[in-house]
C-alpha cells in the first residue's frame, strides 16, 4: 500500500470556487484592520499610531538602526517610512544622523521622549492583543502563531 503524500502543490482556490469573503486574504486584511483600529485607539494618549509604534519598538529593542532596516522588517515601502520618520522626528521622538563611515547611511536613535513612549508600549499593547486572543486557549494560540508564520514564509 502506498504511503500518503502531502498535497504540496494543491490549489486552494479556483476561479470557480473563489469568493471574496471566503478568501484567506479577506480574513487576514479584516483581522489586520480590526487590530490596527483597536491598537490606534489604545495608543491615542501617547499620540502615536500602530505603525509608529512598530518603529519605536524596533528601535528600542535594538533590532534596527536605519530607515532601510525598518522598512524591511516592518514591510513598509521607503517612501511611507520616510514620512513616518518625519512625523516621529517632528514629535521629538527620534533623531536622524548621517553615518560617519558612510554618508549615504542615516542612523536613527530614540530621543529621551521617544524612549519614554517606547517604555509605555509593553504595558498597552499586550492588553489589546490579549483581548483579541481571549477565545484562544494556549495550544490554539501556539498553533495560530505557527500557521501565521508558515503563511509568511517565502
Amino acid at each position: 500500500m502506498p504511503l500518503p503524500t502531502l498535497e504540496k502543490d494543491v490549489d486552494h482556490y479556483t476561479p470557480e470556487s473563489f469568493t471574496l469573503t471566503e478568501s484567506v486574504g479577506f480574513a487576514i486584511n479584516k483581522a489586520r484592520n480590526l487590530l490596527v483600529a483597536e491598537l490606534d485607539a489604545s495608543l491615542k494618549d501617547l499620540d502615536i499610531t500602530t505603525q509608529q509604534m512598530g518603529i519605536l519598538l524596533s528601535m528600542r529593542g535594538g533590532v534596527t538602526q536605519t530607515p532601510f532596516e525598518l522598512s524591511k522588517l516592518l514591510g513598509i515601502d521607503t517612501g511611507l517610512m520616510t514620512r513616518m520618520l518625519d512625523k516621529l522626528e517632528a514629535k521629538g521622538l527620534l533623531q536622524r544622523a548621517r553615518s560617519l563611515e558612510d554618508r549615504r547611511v542615516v542612523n536613527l536613535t530614540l530621543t529621551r521622549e521617544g524612549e519614554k513612549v517606547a517604555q509605555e508600549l509593553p504595558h498597552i499593547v499586550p492588553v489589546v492583543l490579549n483581548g483579541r486572543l481571549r477565545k484562544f486557549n494556549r495550544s490554539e494560540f501556539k498553533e495560530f502563531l505557527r500557521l501565521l508564520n508558515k503563511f509568511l514564509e517565502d
Side-chain angles (χ1 to χ4, degrees):
M1 185 154 104
L3 293 173
T5 58
L6 293 175
E7 297 181 44
K8 285 282 186 187
D9 294 329
V10 66
D11 287 333
H12 296 284
Y13 298 103
T14 65
E16 298 77 30
S17 70
F18 175 79
T19 61
L20 174 66
T21 58
E22 297 298 317
S23 78
V24 69
F26 182 84
I28 288 172
N29 192 51
K30 191 170 179 177
R32 179 203 173 278
N33 291 343
L34 182 65
L35 188 57
V36 166
E38 291 175 2
L39 284 168
D40 280 346
S42 72
L43 297 170
K44 191 173 182 167
D45 290 344
L46 295 177
D47 192 30
I48 62 168
T49 66
T50 300
Q51 285 187 318
Q52 292 168 346
M53 172 200 71
I55 293 170
L56 296 177
L57 286 175
S58 298
M59 291 177 61
R60 180 172 186 245
V63 177
T64 58
Q65 294 180 329
T66 68
F68 176 76
E69 291 169 341
L70 280 168
S71 292
K72 191 173 176 181
L73 176 70
L74 300 175
I76 299 171
D77 72 73
T78 55
L80 177 56
M81 180 58 66
T82 298
R83 291 188 299 278
M84 288 196 308
L85 293 174
D86 288 344
K87 287 179 182 176
L88 288 170
E89 190 173 32
K91 292 177 184 187
L93 300 179
L94 66 81
Q95 293 177 316
R96 293 174 170 130
R98 292 259 173 224
S99 167
L100 298 174
E101 294 85 35
D102 184 346
R103 299 277 303 148
R104 296 170 295 178
V105 175
V106 175
N107 290 313
L108 305 168
T109 55
L110 293 178
T111 62
R112 279 197 178 110
E113 186 61 27
E115 282 287 345
K116 267 178 48 180
V117 170
Q119 286 175 6
E120 291 297 316
L121 297 173
H123 301 282
I124 296 170
V125 178
V127 174
V128 175
L129 294 175
N130 286 333
R132 188 52 39 204
L133 294 163
R134 70 188 175 279
K135 296 177 184 174
F136 290 71
N137 65 37
R138 286 196 192 281
S139 66
E140 288 172 333
F141 169 73
K142 286 173 84 171
E143 181 65 0
F144 181 58
L145 194 56
R146 185 189 73 77
L147 292 170
L148 282 173
N149 285 320
K150 184 175 182 176
F151 183 81
L152 293 171
E153 291 174 2
D154 282 337

